[in-house]
Amino acid sequence: MTSSFIQMEEIFNRTQTALNEFKDIITPVIEKAKDDHERLYWHHIYEEEDHRSDRLDHLLPQLNKINRNEGTVSTDDREFVYLLQDISLEKFGLHNFLEHLDLSLYTFKDTEFEQPIQKLRDMTAEDYQQSKQLLERLNEEFKMADYQASVPTDEKEDIDTSLKVEAYSQPAGEVEKKEEPNKYKNRKKLTVGSLKHS
Ligand SMILES: [Fe+2]
């Protein structure tokens, strides 16, 4: 258990540094936006990350307190239950950050920022998967049900697959394996030959 909270604190510290680096990259883009659409697009992303930073400012000292063995660790303690929910939400925050970084890679492709953003992106993808595992462990240990508000659309069971981005629902290695049959299916559908023979 203790190690889970220590790893959580490390992940959230790391992602806060990363989000600040990202904010610095996109700030000039907002300032120099050529139209309202571009400005709103980047402002939206900036604002969400800024808000996440404020939430982490609140969460990190609480985690630190537990890790210094000063905080209460019991589900009888209401504050502790809130803390677990906050951690759960920040797992979602990592997922959202991952999407923001991927969106920005479209804009910053072939610029000096592509590499640094790609680095943040890969780190965040790993941290997201790790935070999912850590949370599962904590939820089991404290007999907590998975907090629905922290489940991204990509991972909800009652959502149509056409609304999901498969790349965000599982570790990179597994996506490739799963995508193979779909690619085959699409190719088959689109070939003139296959249409003639069907
Ligand atoms: Fe967003």
Side-chain angles (χ1 to χ4, degrees):
M1 187 284 297
T2 332
S3 69
S4 301
F5 284 113
I6 290 172
Q7 288 178 71
M8 283 290 185
E9 191 184 348
E10 283 167 0
I11 289 174
F12 292 141
N13 261 318
R14 200 157 49 225
T15 195
Q16 198 170 37
T17 307
L19 82 81
N20 280 314
E21 199 183 316
F22 181 61
K23 271 164 65 182
D24 285 346
I25 293 174
I26 65 175
T27 297
V29 184
I30 303 171
E31 287 166 350
K32 290 181 216 146
K34 64 178 187 308
D35 55 31
D36 288 346
H37 182 181
E38 192 181 9
R39 170 178 284 273
L40 180 60
Y41 179 90
W42 290 105
H43 161 83
H44 168 84
I45 290 176
Y46 184 97
E47 192 170 51
E48 282 191 350
E49 292 307 329
D50 193 40
H51 189 238
R52 189 164 77 97
S53 185
D54 291 342
R55 298 195 309 264
L56 289 169
D57 278 342
H58 174 76
L59 177 62
L60 278 165
Q62 291 179 293
L63 274 175
N64 191 260
K65 213 167 137 187
I66 284 180
N67 289 330
R68 280 184 287 128
N69 295 319
E70 290 166 21
T72 338
V73 179
S74 154
T75 42
D76 297 332
D77 178 8
R78 190 189 279 245
E79 291 297 316
F80 181 68
V81 175
Y82 288 151
L83 176 73
L84 285 179
Q85 287 187 347
D86 285 347
I87 293 173
S88 230
L89 274 179
E90 292 321 318
K91 177 199 74 170
F92 183 90
L94 281 166
H95 172 93
N96 210 25
F97 186 36
L98 187 58
E99 292 195 357
H100 288 162
L101 290 165
D102 272 338
L103 279 171
S104 71
L105 277 173
Y106 286 104
T107 302
F108 291 101
K109 197 171 165 39
D110 299 326
T111 72
E112 60 183 305
F113 298 111
E114 183 180 359
Q115 276 306 313
I117 294 174
Q118 186 67 47
K119 246 177 100 184
L120 297 178
R121 192 256 171 234
D122 294 343
M123 182 187 94
T124 303
E126 262 179 51
D127 281 347
Y128 174 60
Q129 292 303 330
Q130 204 197 336
S131 74
K132 251 168 63 175
Q133 289 168 7
L134 290 170
L135 254 174
E136 272 170 35
R137 219 190 285 165
L138 287 173
N139 284 344
E140 268 172 40
E141 179 157 355
F142 295 102
K143 312 264 179 293
M144 301 272 290
D146 202 6
Y147 187 41
Q148 181 69 4
S150 76
V151 182
T153 306
D154 299 315
E155 293 171 29
K156 283 184 181 166
E157 281 173 13
D158 56 346
I159 297 277
D160 196 90
T161 47
S162 60
L163 289 173
K164 298 181 185 179
V165 178
E166 195 175 15
Y168 296 126
S169 58
Q170 56 228 302
E174 286 173 40
V175 178
E176 247 137 22
K177 267 181 262 152
K178 277 205 157 181
E179 259 177 9
E180 216 41 57
N182 289 341
K183 274 187 203 155
Y184 176 65
K185 205 171 85 190
N186 290 342
R187 215 179 297 144
K188 207 172 154 193
K189 230 187 275 172
L190 295 171
T191 330
V192 181
S194 71
L195 287 174
K196 276 185 188 161
H197 293 295
S198 60

